[in-house]
Amino acid sequence: MGPHPAVAAIRLAVRRVLHDVLTEHTAQHTVPELSTTAQTASTAPATPTGQAAPTVPSAPPGARDASRTPLVLVACSGGADSMALASALAFEARKLPVRAGGITVDHGLQDGSGLRAAEVAVRLTAMGLEPVEAVTVTVGRDGGPEAAARDARYAALDEAAERLGAAAVLLGHTRDDQAETVLLGLARGSGIRSLSGMAAVSGAEGRYRRPFLQLDRQTARKACMVQSLPVWDDPMNADPAYTRSRLRHEGLPALEKSLGKGVVEALARTAQLCRDDADALDTWAADVEPSVRDETGHLVCARLYALPPAVRRRVLRRAAIAEGAPAGSLFARHIEELDRLITSWRGQGAINLPGRVEARRQGGRLVIRQG
């Protein structure tokens, strides 16, 4: 008799991601033997008969690294989604050439948070994960409490992944989280990049992987229940002071009541469709950017004006980021102001962008630089 359907579903999702990580790790650390053998033969001393002496090919430069199994970490808060993910990683890693570890982040926002983080670390260790770390962070105030906590958490995960040499970090975001992200983007009046939600693979060199984006939250919770995994429900997830919490407990249920079941699945599909479109437009913008610059590298306003608006705004965003504007602080309103320098030119002055970057129109050119 096989595992419970919920357990089977989470294990399959993790197995697929681990196979992807292994394939990428092998490709990065394997050097074709043919070129090494050929080089060895060409430099081998000749025998008296004029033929190259038989030699044993030296090991490719990456052979030692390729023999090491990649480390995959799971980011675990102790909630149902991440506990289900940790259990699936521990189970699947035993059958593959993968080392599995865990990281739990203590945000220090609640009494006893340090003790809970230590308890999560103990549970991860009991699953057989190694290494396991509990990392404490200081949450700032920029962007509001939710954004500040997220920034601190990802900074800690990045640092741990770099220090431990992890090939990937698994995150427990589900299809429900994806639907909430799309709705939050809609409420902000964001473009299709924001509406595309969370990517299955993101971060530097594809560090972050989200195996559960096609699974609902209930599947993860059911998997924990049938495996008798202890779960901690963060009270902040039910606190109406937070926008996502209100959306989760009030907004989405109201939509399902009005529109019927299937809203979450539809929003997740919308995210994927928007992501496909956004990726295509980003590629178009990257390809066309050199053609709208002059010989000095400045953007030519007349050439920009001729572009479709969606492509033009992406070129402007890329240019601002290249000059030092932080991508996370560059919002739609900034790009709209830049775009007006092209489409609604009335002699307006310079525009100040995040990162002390300044943009102004001069002699038919758009000059973007740090001021």
Side-chain angles (χ1 to χ4, degrees), residues 341-360:
L341 292 177
I342 308 301
T343 61
S344 303
W345 172 244
R346 301 182 307 276
Q348 58 263 46
I351 295 173
N352 294 319
L353 300 172
R356 296 187 298 177
V357 173
E358 180 186 90
R360 67 171 64 243

Side-chain angles (χ1 to χ4, degrees), residues 103-124:
I103 300 289
T104 185
V105 178
D106 171 21
H107 298 85
L109 298 176
Q110 302 169 9
D111 293 338
S113 62
L115 177 60
R116 280 191 294 272
E119 291 174 349
V120 172
V122 169
R123 291 170 188 167
L124 296 180

Side-chain angles (χ1 to χ4, degrees), residues 198-283:
M198 297 174 286
V201 180
S202 66
E205 299 180 350
R207 168 175 295 157
Y208 294 108
R209 311 293 173 111
R210 297 177 174 88
F212 290 174
L213 285 184
Q214 301 301 319
L215 301 177
D216 60 28
R217 189 174 290 139
Q218 192 58 37
T219 297
R221 184 168 290 276
K222 186 70 173 179
C224 289
M225 185 181 72
V226 299
Q227 295 178 100
S228 300
L229 295 176
V231 170
W232 174 64
D233 290 316
D234 188 346
M236 292 179 66
N237 290 334
D239 189 341
Y242 297 100
T243 303
R244 187 178 284 269
S245 175
R246 294 195 301 274
L247 179 61
R248 179 174 301 176
H249 298 287
E250 300 172 19
L252 269 174
L255 282 175
E256 291 195 331
K257 183 177 180 180
S258 299
L259 303 176
K261 295 294 184 181
V263 170
V264 169
E265 293 86 342
L267 288 169
R269 284 198 304 274
T270 297
Q272 186 56 57
L273 292 171
C274 287
R275 180 166 299 280
D276 292 342
D277 289 350
D279 289 345
L281 288 168
D282 286 346
T283 300

Side-chain angles (χ1 to χ4, degrees), residues 40 65 70 74 79 101 112 134 142 181 194 207 260 267 295 301 308 343 351 364 369:
T40 304
D65 292 336
V74 57
D142 292 344
T181 301
S194 180
R207 168 175 295 157
L267 288 169
E295 61 279 0
C301 295
T343 61
I351 295 173
R369 60 190 174 196

Side-chain angles (χ1 to χ4, degrees), residues 29-37 39-40 57-67:
H29 293 84
T30 300
V31 178
E33 290 188 14
L34 181 60
S35 61
T36 306
T37 305
Q39 183 178 4
T40 304
S58 58
R64 185 179 302 173
D65 292 336
S67 66

Side-chain angles (χ1 to χ4, degrees), residues 88-106:
L89 173 62
F91 180 84
E92 293 296 332
R94 288 194 288 268
K95 303 185 293 180
L96 295 169
V98 171
R99 293 178 295 139
I103 300 289
T104 185
V105 178
D106 171 21

Side-chain angles (χ1 to χ4, degrees), residues 176-185 217 244 247-248 252:
D176 300 76
D177 296 307
Q178 186 75 298
E180 293 162 7
T181 301
V182 173
L183 285 176
L184 289 171
R217 189 174 290 139
R244 187 178 284 269
L247 179 61
R248 179 174 301 176
L252 269 174

